Amino acid sequence: MLRYITYRILAMIPSLLIVSIVVFSLIHLVPGDPAQQYFGVSAKPEALEAMRRELGLDRPVHEQYLAWLWGLLHGDLGTSLIHRTPITEMFASRLPVTLQLVTFAMVIAVVLGVSAGIISGTRQYSRLDFAISVLGLTGISLPNFWLGTMLALVFSVKLGLLPFGGYVPFSEDPIANIKSMIMPALSLGLVSASIIMRMTRSSLMDISRRDYIRTARAKGASENAVVSRHMLKNAVIPITTVAGMEAGYMFGGAFLVEAVFYLPGIPTYALAAVLQRDYPVLQAATLLIAIAFMSINLFVDVLNAYIDPRQRESMARLASS
């Protein structure tokens, strides 16, 4: 297993390198000038040229990329062109907000998705199954930023039950912190819950037709025992795989949700960098999201290997080849 994990980590390096090259190239193709953003439209040409030289923007693009990559290899994400502060410090202060949002949203997605999928998959073609399926299809179709806006309109503007926007650190006020995270987490988690529900339902429906399920029922096993010991145990692999993919997608979806609710996380900082043409911030944020996505996929693969011995054998063969 350790050899496989090492193999996967080493395989991430060329993927991240390709991601960094593509992102760096696309960012520099976007019209705009960080020096112009810093000084404003009334800036003198001499001041703009001096700023470009100071920021290294007057050098060829490939030299800028190599300088950024060299710093990255030494643990330096760079310096914000606009705020003139180390990106590592800015990300360190904002990362807990984004991690808390994604964690809350993932808990909501797994709990609601798996529970609804079990109910729907064990009551196939019933009215309850039909209702849950309709809700799941509706959830998949709703953009998370629109869902967040509607939740804010109902629970904040109309009912006044939850605060609209802002963030309170958990260390300062735990209750206010949880209240500020409920609507953003629901906005991000309900869509993923719908996808997990559909996968859970589909897996259970497929497994329910297997011979060993018929045998367990013929031996007189209770329905709860059949579901928990046989159906769920064999359906957990596709469910964890989809849940892991959704956790990775949540880091991308957090861009819009944090913007709707004014959460001071990394995605909000990166969105502001788009408008300001702050290249190093965008590059660092995109790279962190790619690392998070790949790491989550690796964790899911390892988890599935512990669940299913057949996958452990497959991983061992792959690592030794």
Side-chain angles (χ1 to χ4, degrees), residues 96-283:
V97 181
T98 302
L99 287 180
Q100 184 183 5
L101 172 61
V102 172
T103 302
F104 278 22
M106 199 62 211
V107 170
I108 291 172
V110 172
V111 172
L112 292 182
V114 173
S115 300
I118 292 173
I119 295 172
S120 182
T122 54
R123 292 167 174 81
Q124 302 172 21
Y125 310 116
S126 64
R127 292 183 179 179
L128 186 58
D129 176 28
F130 177 77
I132 293 176
S133 298
V134 170
L135 288 175
L137 184 60
T138 304
I140 294 174
S141 307
L142 296 178
N144 50 28
F145 65 88
W146 181 89
L147 181 58
T149 304
M150 293 300 103
L151 289 174
L153 180 63
V154 174
F155 293 101
S156 182
V157 178
K158 298 292 184 182
L159 301 178
L161 298 176
L162 297 171
F164 176 66
Y167 176 77
V168 179
F170 188 84
S171 58
E172 293 182 8
D173 190 338
I175 302 300
N177 172 269
I178 293 174
K179 285 184 176 181
S180 68
M181 279 292 178
I182 290 176
M183 288 193 295
L186 285 173
S187 305
L188 197 58
L190 288 179
V191 176
S192 296
S194 302
I195 297 173
I196 294 174
M197 182 279 295
R198 290 177 64 86
M199 175 54 69
T200 304
R201 177 182 183 274
S202 176
S203 299
L204 291 178
M205 290 181 66
D206 177 65
I207 292 172
S208 66
R209 300 182 179 92
R210 303 288 177 86
D211 291 339
Y212 60 85
I213 299 298
R214 298 191 187 97
T215 302
R217 285 173 173 153
K219 289 182 176 180
S222 64
E223 190 62 23
N224 289 336
V226 171
V227 172
S228 61
R229 296 179 184 176
H230 301 284
M231 296 176 66
L232 275 179
K233 186 177 180 180
N234 290 278
V236 70
I237 298 293
I239 294 173
T240 54
T241 301
V242 171
M245 293 179 62
E246 288 303 309
Y249 291 141
M250 282 182 180
F251 282 94
F255 275 78
L256 297 175
V257 172
E258 286 193 0
V260 170
F261 292 98
Y262 307 105
L263 296 177
I266 291 178
T268 304
Y269 185 38
L271 279 177
V274 173
L275 301 176
Q276 298 168 340
R277 304 297 188 269
D278 201 340
Y279 301 148
V281 174
L282 292 175
Q283 293 156 196

Side-chain angles (χ1 to χ4, degrees), residues 7-158:
Y7 168 80
R8 285 289 301 272
I9 292 175
L10 293 176
M12 288 169 59
I13 296 176
S15 300
L16 292 173
L17 184 63
I18 294 173
V19 169
S20 68
I21 293 174
V22 172
V23 171
F24 192 92
S25 303
L26 292 177
I27 288 174
H28 282 74
L29 289 175
V30 175
D33 186 355
Q36 189 76 56
Q37 293 288 334
Y38 186 84
F39 283 111
V41 294
S42 59
K44 295 181 179 180
E46 297 82 6
L48 292 176
E49 288 300 324
M51 176 60 71
R52 292 190 186 102
R53 285 195 299 271
E54 181 181 350
L55 299 177
L57 299 176
D58 59 330
R59 294 183 294 173
V61 175
H62 69 278
E63 291 185 8
Q64 296 182 43
Y65 172 75
L66 291 176
W68 174 74
L69 184 62
W70 179 255
L72 188 66
L73 293 175
H74 290 79
D76 183 11
L77 293 176
T79 302
S80 170
L81 301 181
I82 303 301
H83 302 284
R84 313 302 294 273
T85 54
I87 297 174
T88 304
E89 295 181 4
M90 298 294 293
F91 278 12
S93 63
R94 293 170 177 268
L95 183 60
V97 181
T98 302
L99 287 180
Q100 184 183 5
L101 172 61
V102 172
T103 302
F104 278 22
M106 199 62 211
V107 170
I108 291 172
V110 172
V111 172
L112 292 182
V114 173
S115 300
I118 292 173
I119 295 172
S120 182
T122 54
R123 292 167 174 81
Q124 302 172 21
Y125 310 116
S126 64
R127 292 183 179 179
L128 186 58
D129 176 28
F130 177 77
I132 293 176
S133 298
V134 170
L135 288 175
L137 184 60
T138 304
I140 294 174
S141 307
L142 296 178
N144 50 28
F145 65 88
W146 181 89
L147 181 58
T149 304
M150 293 300 103
L151 289 174
L153 180 63
V154 174
F155 293 101
S156 182
V157 178
K158 298 292 184 182

Side-chain angles (χ1 to χ4, degrees), residues 279-297:
Y279 301 148
V281 174
L282 292 175
Q283 293 156 196
T286 306
L287 194 65
L288 284 179
I289 292 175
I291 292 174
F293 195 90
M294 294 179 185
S295 301
I296 291 171
N297 284 337

